[in-house]
Amino acid sequence: MVTRERGMIAAAVVLGLALVLATLYGGYVVFLRDRTTSPRRDLLLPSLPAPGQWQQSGRLPSEDGEATRTWNRPTDGFAEVVYGYHSNGAAARQFTRSSPQRTEPYLNGNARPDDIGVRVPQADQAQYMCGEYDHQVCDTWWAWLRFGKVDVELRYEHEVGASPALTDPELASVVTRAATTIAAMAEGT
């Protein structure tokens, strides 16, 4: 009897491990298969609709299905990252799995929802978050948006204590205008 019980336990453990590995591997394969083969550079903003003097830093090297453009001034940075997928479902899955709150390692879970008045009715899904390095000051702010087959990260970073910084209403206006422009460019893609 003892041998049979051990055999059943061993079989259950092996089956459990096989299921875990299949799930992890399957999720990885789905993620790779879901990405488009060419970056969505066509959805990068031509200019940043923000007050003040911003220097476009250019496009960062793109990965499959991902395109990035950044702007800077002495104490601030703004980035747009566009992730393209083959289907609405793939974009929705990755929107849930890959939000900046979950993927930015330096935050160590120190991100919280933060609604500063951004309104993007064209987005199929939207999350607005504040990331805190020192648990006291919001120094990184994200809009994580989905437009059909495209996920878009808009990120504003500010050096704590430095000025000038965008105020919440200014940032809300910048993000709303940027997202509206991206939504219009993404329509029908």
Side-chain angles (χ1 to χ4, degrees), residues 10-38:
V13 168
V14 168
L15 180 61
L17 286 173
L19 287 172
V20 167
L21 290 173
T23 301
L24 291 174
Y25 179 75
Y28 180 71
V29 169
V30 166
F31 173 75
L32 291 177
R33 187 180 64 229
D34 285 346
R35 283 281 181 98
T36 61
T37 55
S38 60

Side-chain angles (χ1 to χ4, degrees), residues 42-56:
D42 59 315
L43 298 180
L44 292 175
L45 295 166
S47 62
L48 183 65
Q53 299 293 321
W54 291 82
Q55 176 81 28
Q56 182 177 325

Side-chain angles (χ1 to χ4, degrees), residues 48-80:
L48 183 65
Q53 299 293 321
W54 291 82
Q55 176 81 28
Q56 182 177 325
S57 304
R59 294 179 181 160
L60 297 178
S62 299
E63 297 177 17
D64 285 348
E66 176 184 321
T68 302
R69 180 169 285 158
T70 59
W71 294 267
N72 292 296
R73 60 184 190 175
T75 59
D76 301 81
F78 194 92
E80 173 193 12

Side-chain angles (χ1 to χ4, degrees), residues 115-132:
D115 182 359
I116 59 171
V118 173
R119 297 293 175 258
V120 185
Q122 307 91 328
D124 297 308
Q125 291 176 275
Q127 294 177 357
Y128 310 106
M129 295 166 275
C130 169
E132 304 167 346

Side-chain angles (χ1 to χ4, degrees), residues 152-185:
V152 176
E153 174 186 347
L154 298 175
R155 182 179 63 243
Y156 172 69
E157 298 178 43
H158 176 68
E159 186 178 318
V160 176
S163 75
L166 294 177
T167 64
D168 284 356
E170 287 174 330
L171 181 56
S173 174
V174 169
V175 171
T176 299
R177 290 181 8 224
T180 300
T181 301
I182 295 164
M185 292 188 297

